Amino acid sequence: VSNIIMKSQNPDKYDYGGLFGVNLGTIKNTKVKDVSISVEKSGASNWSMAGGLAGYNFTGTITNCTATGSVSVSSNGWDIGAGGLVGLNRGGTIRGCKDVNVAVHVEVIGAVGDTPSEVAAGGFIGSNDGAGTITNCSAISANISSIVEGHAVNTSVKNARGKFAGCVDNNSTLSGNKADGVPKIGWDKKKSPPGPGDDI
């Protein structure tokens, strides 16, 4: 699949952008080339996620997939994530996948009420949590950026930016993965105290 352009402005509480918005099944041997995924939220909301292949991998399995292109999320809500391949992996399994030269950008605009509880931008995965497992995957030459007013990069989970993962939760698993550049993980909750990490 090539030259995908998607711009989501879903008014609902949750918004997931990708070739697959939400994956609860199996995706394998899929290549997306020159993808352009953009999620924009203008009202109070949460859970805005985007990925080159899937916005949200919820208990699904993704195997041997690749992505190139750009992924972005801009929101004034909270719990925001973007990744080169997947925005959020919760309880799912991702293995043998890679993304190359993906530009990932997350921006919090005019936050309403609560400040963001989590903002995660990663070259491969925005956030990996809920017993999510990622093995033997790679992010090559990812260009990652984030803008969160009042929160410097990787000083809290509110602005986590990593070459492989933006944020990694306590009960998630990373093994045998690769990424060029540091930090590999923007905010590693497994560390005590949490902070940037490189164990991927």
Side-chain angles (χ1 to χ4, degrees):
V1 182
S2 62
N3 298 317
I4 300 168
I5 299 174
M6 177 182 299
K7 186 174 182 179
S8 175
Q9 293 177 307
N10 188 350
D12 292 339
K13 188 174 182 180
Y14 306 106
D15 204 350
Y16 310 110
L19 177 61
F20 301 92
V22 179
N23 177 48
L24 294 91
T26 299
I27 304 172
K28 61 181 180 179
N29 304 325
T30 301
K31 297 181 180 181
V32 290
K33 183 179 179 182
D34 298 329
V35 66
S36 178
I37 304 293
S38 176
V39 170
E40 297 181 4
K41 299 289 278 190
S42 58
S45 62
N46 62 8
W47 281 51
S48 297
M49 308 288 172
L53 182 70
Y56 181 21
N57 186 46
F58 179 58
T59 69
T61 300
I62 299 175
T63 307
N64 192 32
C65 295
T66 63
T68 65
S70 65
V71 178
S72 68
V73 175
S74 61
S75 173
N76 60 353
W78 51 94
D79 287 338
I80 302 162
L85 195 84
V86 175
L88 170 65
N89 182 42
R90 173 163 284 183
T93 299
I94 305 174
R95 55 178 176 258
C97 298
K98 68 178 179 180
D99 57 63
V100 182
N101 296 325
V102 178
V104 178
H105 179 70
V106 176
E107 184 171 355
V108 177
I109 51 173
V112 175
D114 297 318
T115 56
S117 60
E118 182 173 307
V119 178
F124 184 84
I125 184 84
S127 184
N128 189 43
D129 68 11
T133 299
I134 303 176
T135 57
N136 301 322
C137 294
S138 60
I140 302 170
S141 299
N143 182 5
I144 309 149
S145 60
S146 59
I147 300 173
V148 185
E149 186 176 349
H151 298 281
V153 176
N154 297 337
T155 57
S156 77
V157 72
K158 295 181 186 294
N159 191 2
R161 187 197 302 174
K163 283 292 186 176
F164 187 83
C167 180
V168 172
D169 211 353
N170 291 324
N171 57 352
S172 66
T173 302
L174 297 176
S175 177
N177 303 297
K178 298 178 181 178
D180 49 358
V182 293
K184 311 292 187 190
I185 302 170
W187 193 255
D188 189 350
K189 294 182 180 178
K190 294 181 180 182
K191 294 180 64 176
S192 183
D198 292 318
D199 185 11
I200 62 169

